[in-house]
Amino acid sequence: MSSHAAKINAATRRHLRAGAATTVGGSLSVDESPLPVLVVLHQETSSPGRIGNALRALGHGLDIRRPRFGDALPETLEGHAGAVIFGGPMSANDPDDYVRREIDWIGVPLREQRPFLGICLGAQMLAMHLGARVSPHPQGRVEAGYYPIRPTLKGLKICTRWPDQVYHWHREGFELPSGTELLAEGGDFPVQAFRSGNSFGLQFHPDVTYAMMCRWTIRGTDRMQLPGAHPRHLHLEGWFRHDAAVARWSEAFLGRWLSESGSPLQSIQNSERERLVPG
């Protein structure tokens, strides 16, 4: 076995135990399909949207669970490449059992140092698990529509090109949890993206598709009457102005999230590619 293959750690060996790794000409060949990504949704009609499409394009299946309707969450993420908790109309402060269970469950990817992504409600759950406060804006303002976002220097290290504006649909925000890295800032809700090890929280919605936006703005007309919200026509106009940049950022971010946040198979594949590039 080559010295390169010998460096594979125990977590990688467990990941490849199915037997799809061989050594060819002194190098490691991995022909196993990527592990699925755990997807947590909160309504019967919810969709992982663009994020789901991007993960499938990267070769990952989606293991979709809806704890609100009785689905259990796994005790370990050893059989998954990572996990994503999406948004929903409920609050991380709600007393419902499934909300409490989801917040507690986030301890699994944190302990195992597996890639975790929280979007909107999922980000608020991550922040709460880490001890931060989740609450409405003090003046009752909301974000519904496209709003400017400002990446920090640490955010630019994750992705060099962030979109100028991103889509929001939320009434609550959260403090920056202690010991985490702020990746992007906003206006009424200052914490827009943060990182804790292999776990990321995004207050905004890179998952939204045009069809999702149309549904939300038709069914959620009351939300657009609240202070700070944009009228429906600006949501749709914003899509054509800003979505291409959001799509490019989402693809780059997800690739980094899975390949550099601890997904063993992706890390091996990236290492192999780098080793074959002449120095």
Side-chain angles (χ1 to χ4, degrees):
M1 181 179 293
S2 69
S3 60
H4 176 73
K7 294 179 181 178
I8 303 173
N9 60 27
T12 301
R13 293 183 189 280
R14 288 196 301 270
H15 182 80
L16 299 175
R17 193 170 290 162
T22 59
T23 54
V24 180
S27 64
L28 182 66
S29 173
V30 180
D31 46 32
E32 176 182 284
S33 298
L35 290 172
V37 173
L38 179 70
V39 168
V40 179
L41 301 176
H42 295 102
Q43 298 190 89
E44 289 180 309
T45 57
S46 293
S47 163
R50 170 187 286 127
I51 297 298
N53 294 337
L55 291 172
R56 292 187 188 99
L58 289 170
H60 296 275
L62 303 183
D63 178 5
I64 296 177
R65 313 276 184 107
R66 291 178 169 85
R68 182 184 181 187
F69 302 104
D71 291 344
L73 294 174
E75 296 181 0
T76 176
L77 280 178
E78 187 171 322
H80 295 83
V84 186
I85 294 184
F86 285 81
M90 58 289 300
S91 167
N93 291 302
D94 287 348
D96 304 75
D97 287 343
Y98 75 91
V99 172
R100 301 295 103 200
R101 286 197 304 272
E102 286 187 37
I103 294 171
D104 290 342
W105 178 85
I106 292 174
V108 171
L110 290 175
R111 286 192 302 273
E112 297 181 354
Q113 299 183 16
R114 304 293 292 177
F116 173 81
L117 175 61
I119 296 175
C120 197
L121 173 63
Q124 295 167 4
M125 287 179 164
L126 173 61
M128 183 172 285
H129 182 93
L130 294 171
R133 185 170 65 97
V134 176
S135 62
H137 189 275
Q139 280 78 50
R141 295 181 64 79
V142 306
E143 287 183 324
Y146 283 92
Y147 297 82
I149 192 171
R150 302 183 301 276
T152 65
L153 291 177
K154 291 181 178 179
L156 290 171
K157 290 181 180 180
I158 301 297
C159 289
T160 57
R161 296 181 61 187
W162 288 63
D164 294 330
Q165 298 201 25
V166 290
Y167 193 70
H168 292 80
W169 190 268
H170 66 99
R171 290 175 291 187
E172 293 184 307
F174 50 88
E175 302 169 338
L176 182 67
S178 177
T180 66
E181 298 176 342
L182 180 64
L183 304 181
E185 302 172 294
D188 285 335
F189 294 86
V191 181
Q192 289 290 325
F194 73 98
R195 176 181 188 174
S196 176
N198 299 332
S199 296
F200 292 78
L202 307 177
Q203 179 62 87
F204 53 95
H205 278 281
D207 54 314
V208 74
T209 64
Y210 189 73
M212 289 166 63
M213 182 184 298
C214 289
R215 288 199 304 273
W216 293 3
T217 54
I218 289 172
R219 298 175 181 176
T221 53
D222 291 347
R223 178 74 59 92
M224 290 177 288
Q225 308 305 314
L226 298 174
H230 295 169
R232 185 172 190 265
H233 73 276
L234 291 183
H235 293 234
L236 305 182
E237 288 180 15
W239 168 270
F240 293 103
R241 289 178 181 270
H242 306 298
D243 187 68
V246 174
R248 287 193 297 270
W249 179 87
S250 299
E251 181 178 353
F253 172 80
L254 287 173
R256 291 287 301 273
W257 175 64
L258 284 173
S259 67
E260 297 189 13
S261 292
S263 177
L265 178 62
Q266 290 286 357
S267 297
I268 295 170
Q269 291 171 331
N270 288 349
S271 180
E272 280 293 294
R273 285 194 293 269
E274 291 172 3
R275 196 171 67 87
L276 295 174
V277 174

